[in-house]
Amino acid sequence: MKHITSIIIIAFLLTACGGEQKKNSVENVLESNNIETIRKKRGELVSEQQAINEKIKLLDEKLKSIDTVKHVPLITTFTAKTEKFEHVLELQGNVTTKDLLVITPEYNGILTNVYVKEGQKVSKGQLLAKIDDGGLSQQVAQLQIQADLAKTTYERQKRLWDQNIGSEIQFLQAKSNYESQQEAVNQLQQQIAKTSVRAPFSGTIDDVITEEGSVVAAGTSPLMRIVNLDNMYIEVEVPESYVSNVVKGKKVEVDIPVLGETINTKIRQASDFINPANRTFKAEIDVPNKDKNIKPNLTARLKINDYTNENAILIPQSVISENAEGEQYVYIVTDKNEEGIGTVKRLIIETGRTQGDVIEVTKNLEKGAEIVKEGARSVKDGQSVEVINYKEENNG
């Protein structure tokens, strides 16, 4: 009986408490529309909130003192090292050759004979074609007879003059007549020689333009085209700002897209003349052509080595930032412990040439410095960070 009474009392108390809590709930207080009750409830809640905030603050301070890892940014880094840097200037040029010529005649007349065909290899001085001389050969034959007579007369007068026989005037007249006749023969022979078209250099007949029987004019009528593919080169116009770097002997990588071929060669000549119209100068690049597959007027892409540094420090351009004064800077990690926790330091740097995605650092960055890579945009000078690739390197 006593136990039953105790249970009833406890139940009554719990019900009373529950009823009291329900009576004091925010909902019931709001429904009461009693200003004093509402103010009292609000005061109670503010007091509870302040107490909770104080407890949260104590917990945060404790966590901060015992957890030094979870509240620092995670970053990755790389180590600055020296390496060979060969900067290249990228240009476009055309393949050509000095031994490419459209042959024109030196004499007016009818093209009587063409002795070569397209694709035929010829040697320097070889007879390619013949133009009708218009009777010059007969004139030379007649003049040669007169020249022979003048020569005989001169030789006789000379023998007599050497023996002090005859007059000096007769000797001089005979000599003058002989020389003038011989000169006339030579002039006609030179004219006749112009009727023979000869190869100016060794090469291949690329095209026969004028057929036999055509009337040709000196210096204007194209007869045939001859080309030599042994002496190929690329001519390119280089901006004047590179005049001191693009010089004879510099290495060049030549890419000929049509052939899918890449050639390593050198600059064989760089002009000393700056074109005032476009502020460029010309450079010639040797093109080896053993297989004869490189033709004139092909387009070529050039990579000219205009700068080399054997001990350059190269970094990705993406890790560099710029301040309001226009200075470039990177973040490096210092004082790193065994857990990979270190301090970020902002480092002002100076840069030089770029190549693709990397840039050369010319000042303030030393070999071995640990540079922030991923996370470089989100850290601040003096901030603690965790280098997550530190453990990966040691585990590897």
Side-chain angles (χ1 to χ4, degrees):
M1 185 68 179
K2 185 185 288 186
H3 291 294
I4 296 173
T5 304
S6 298
I7 292 172
I8 293 172
I9 292 171
I10 292 171
F12 175 78
L13 291 174
L14 288 174
T15 304
C17 290
E20 185 66 27
Q21 288 179 352
K22 184 175 182 182
K23 181 180 178 181
N24 292 328
S25 67
V26 175
E27 291 79 6
N28 288 337
V29 170
L30 291 174
E31 288 177 0
S32 70
N33 285 328
N34 187 303
I35 188 169
E36 293 298 330
T37 304
I38 294 173
R39 283 177 177 174
K40 181 180 178 182
K41 186 62 178 178
R42 182 183 182 281
E44 292 174 356
L45 293 175
V46 169
S47 298
E48 291 176 5
Q49 183 182 28
Q50 290 176 347
I52 292 172
N53 288 340
E54 288 296 328
K55 292 177 181 179
I56 291 173
K57 184 177 179 181
L58 291 173
L59 293 172
D60 287 342
E61 289 177 355
K62 188 62 176 179
L63 283 172
K64 186 176 180 181
S65 65
I66 64 176
D67 186 0
T68 59
V69 176
K70 302 303 180 182
H71 290 79
V72 297
L74 302 179
I75 63 166
T76 64
T77 62
F78 65 94
T79 303
K81 60 181 180 179
T82 58
E83 55 187 298
K84 186 176 181 179
F85 178 44
E86 292 186 333
H87 184 268
V88 295
L89 171 65
E90 297 188 16
L91 297 171
Q92 183 169 298
N94 291 322
V95 180
T96 186
T97 175
K98 294 188 184 297
D99 294 338
L100 173 62
L101 182 67
V102 174
I103 300 174
T104 57
E106 297 183 87
Y107 194 81
N108 297 322
I110 299 173
L111 186 64
T112 56
N113 298 97
V114 176
Y115 301 112
V116 292
K117 297 179 180 179
E118 293 177 1
Q120 180 177 336
K121 295 184 180 299
V122 296
S123 302
K124 182 178 179 179
Q126 181 176 334
L127 183 63
L128 306 178
K130 192 74 171 67
I131 300 171
D132 180 56
D133 60 22
L136 288 181
S137 299
Q138 290 81 0
Q139 294 180 39
V140 168
Q142 295 173 2
L143 283 176
Q144 188 62 55
I145 293 172
Q146 296 176 14
D148 291 341
L149 176 60
K151 180 181 180 181
T152 301
T153 303
Y154 164 67
E155 290 175 345
R156 287 180 179 178
Q157 287 294 332
K158 187 176 185 307
R159 285 196 297 270
L160 293 174
W161 178 246
D162 290 342
Q163 298 173 14
N164 295 323
I165 301 173
S167 64
E168 182 180 6
I169 190 65
Q170 289 177 321
F171 167 70
L172 293 176
Q173 286 176 343
K175 181 181 179 182
S176 177
N177 185 46
Y178 165 62
E179 290 176 347
S180 62
Q181 291 292 335
Q182 191 60 47
E183 181 64 24
V185 171
N186 291 339
Q187 288 181 359
L188 275 181
Q189 287 177 337
Q190 290 176 7
Q191 290 296 313
I192 292 174
K194 292 180 179 180
T195 66
S196 296
V197 180
R198 298 184 180 276
F201 51 81
S202 298
T204 303
I205 302 300
D206 185 60
D207 187 16
V208 176
I209 302 171
T210 304
E211 302 295 331
E212 292 181 358
S214 302
V215 177
V216 296
T220 59
S221 300
L223 300 182
M224 58 193 70
R225 182 168 53 243
I226 182 174
V227 60
N228 187 335
L229 299 180
D230 292 330
N231 187 24
M232 306 294 290
Y233 69 97
I234 297 170
E235 186 174 77
V236 63
E237 293 186 342
V238 185
E240 65 175 344
S241 56
Y242 296 93
V243 70
S244 60
N245 296 323
V246 178
V247 295
K248 181 180 179 180
K250 283 282 188 177
K251 294 189 297 183
V252 183
E253 182 182 290
V254 178
D255 177 33
I256 303 178
V258 172
L259 302 179
E261 186 172 344
T262 301
I263 303 168
N264 292 314
T265 180
K266 293 182 178 181
I267 295 176
R268 75 179 188 184
Q269 180 182 344
S271 175
D272 294 324
F273 173 75
I274 304 295
N275 187 342
N278 56 11
R279 310 308 305 173
T280 63
F281 64 96
K282 289 185 178 181
E284 293 182 4
I285 294 92
D286 267 325
V287 181
N289 194 22
K290 294 181 181 180
D291 298 331
K292 303 295 188 296
N293 58 340
I294 299 176
K295 311 297 182 184
N297 298 317
L298 281 176
T299 298
R301 295 173 184 159
L302 311 176
K303 293 182 179 179
I304 303 174
N305 173 221
D306 64 319
Y307 170 77
T308 300
N309 185 349
E310 296 290 341
N311 297 295
I313 294 179
L314 304 177
I315 64 174
Q317 296 187 60
S318 58
V319 304
I320 299 177
S321 300
E322 189 173 300
N323 61 23
E325 288 74 32
E327 296 174 315
Q328 294 179 312
Y329 63 89
V330 295
Y331 287 109
I332 63 172
V333 176
T334 61
D335 304 323
K336 188 173 67 176
N337 61 26
E338 293 181 356
E339 287 73 31
I341 305 298
T343 302
V344 168
K345 178 183 178 182
R346 188 174 69 173
L347 188 68
I348 302 296
I349 61 172
E350 292 183 11
T351 58
R353 292 172 171 83
T354 62
Q355 193 71 68
D357 297 329
V358 299
I359 188 168
E360 179 189 19
V361 179
T362 58
K363 193 173 181 180
N364 293 344
L365 185 62
E366 299 294 334
K367 177 183 177 182
E370 191 170 359
I371 305 168
V372 178
K373 187 177 182 182
E374 294 180 12
R377 303 294 182 186
S378 59
V379 297
K380 296 179 180 180
D381 190 27
Q383 186 177 17
S384 294
V385 293
E386 180 185 2
V387 182
I388 59 176
N389 60 325
Y390 176 84
K391 295 176 182 178
E392 293 173 1
E393 290 174 359
N394 283 294
N395 291 337

